[in-house]
Amino acid sequence: MENYQLTLQSIHLFAVVVVCIVIAARALTLFKGTQGHLPNPAGRKLFVALQHASMTVLVLTGIVLLYLKNFEVQSWFYAKLILFAVLLSSLSKAYRKTDTVFLTQRRAGLFLAAVAMLGIIGLVMIKPNFG
Ligand code: HEM
C-alpha cells in the first residue's frame, strides 16, 4: 500500500512537471506568430493533446491519492482545488478556439493561470493551516 502511494505521488508530480512545461511552451503562441486575435496555430494539436493528457493524469492520480488517504484532507486542500478550477478555466479562456476573445484577454488568462499554478505550488509546499 505504501509503495503504491509513493508511485502514484511520483506520477502525480511528473504530471505537474509536464503541465508546467506545456503551459510555458504554449504561452509563446500568444506572443509570437499570432493571427489576429488567435494564437499561433503551430503545434496546436500537440499542445492540446499534451495538456489534456497531463491534466487528466493529474486529476486521476489526485483522486486515487485522496481515496488512499480516506479523503482526510486539511483545509488548504480545498484552496488547492479552487485554484485548480481557476487554472483550468483561465487556460480554457486563454486558448478558446473562437476569435471573440481578444489577445489581451488571452494573455490575461495566461497570467491568471500562472498565478493559480504558483498558488497551488505554494500551498503544497507550505501546507498552511487556516484557522
Ligand atoms: C496543478 C495542479 C496540482 C499540483 C501542482 C499538485 C501538486 C502536488 C504535490 C507537489 C503533491 C505532493 C505533496 C506532498 O506529498 O507533500 C501533491 C499531492 C497530492 N495531490 Fe496534488 N497537485 C495538483 C492537482 C491535484 C488535484 C486536481 C488533486 C485532486 C483531484 C490532487 C490531489 C492530491 C492528493 C490527494 C495528494 C496527496 C497528499 C498527501 O498524500 O498528503 N492534486 N500534489
Side-chain angles (χ1 to χ4, degrees):
M1 195 70 156
E2 287 274 297
N3 232 337
Y4 197 49
Q5 196 156 356
L6 209 63
T7 310
L8 276 169
Q9 275 204 14
S10 309
I11 301 172
H12 194 71
L13 280 183
F14 178 73
V16 170
V17 173
V18 176
V19 168
C20 288
I21 292 173
V22 177
I23 289 177
R26 197 177 187 190
L28 293 176
T29 68
L30 290 181
F31 296 91
K32 275 194 156 180
T34 52
Q35 304 193 339
H37 290 299
L38 289 174
N40 187 336
R44 181 175 210 277
K45 282 221 168 104
L46 180 67
F47 284 131
V48 171
L50 279 177
Q51 224 165 12
H52 283 158
S54 52
M55 288 292 190
T56 306
V57 172
L58 195 58
V59 171
L60 291 182
T61 50
I63 291 172
V64 181
L65 281 168
L66 264 180
Y67 175 78
L68 291 179
K69 281 170 67 87
N70 295 314
F71 298 90
E72 282 161 21
V73 293
Q74 272 130 21
S75 48
W76 60 264
F77 188 79
Y78 300 103
K80 173 174 162 172
L81 285 189
I82 291 168
L83 285 178
F84 188 68
V86 172
L87 179 71
L88 291 187
S89 81
S90 44
L91 281 177
S92 82
K93 171 106 184 195
Y95 299 108
R96 194 153 298 160
K97 254 184 180 168
T98 58
D99 63 359
T100 52
V101 185
F102 291 125
L103 208 50
T104 45
Q105 291 175 305
R106 294 183 189 278
R107 291 175 184 160
L110 172 67
F111 178 74
L112 198 54
V115 172
M117 180 53 103
L118 290 178
I120 296 175
I121 291 172
L123 280 176
V124 297
M125 286 172 67
I126 301 167
K127 300 187 188 352
N129 208 340
F130 301 111

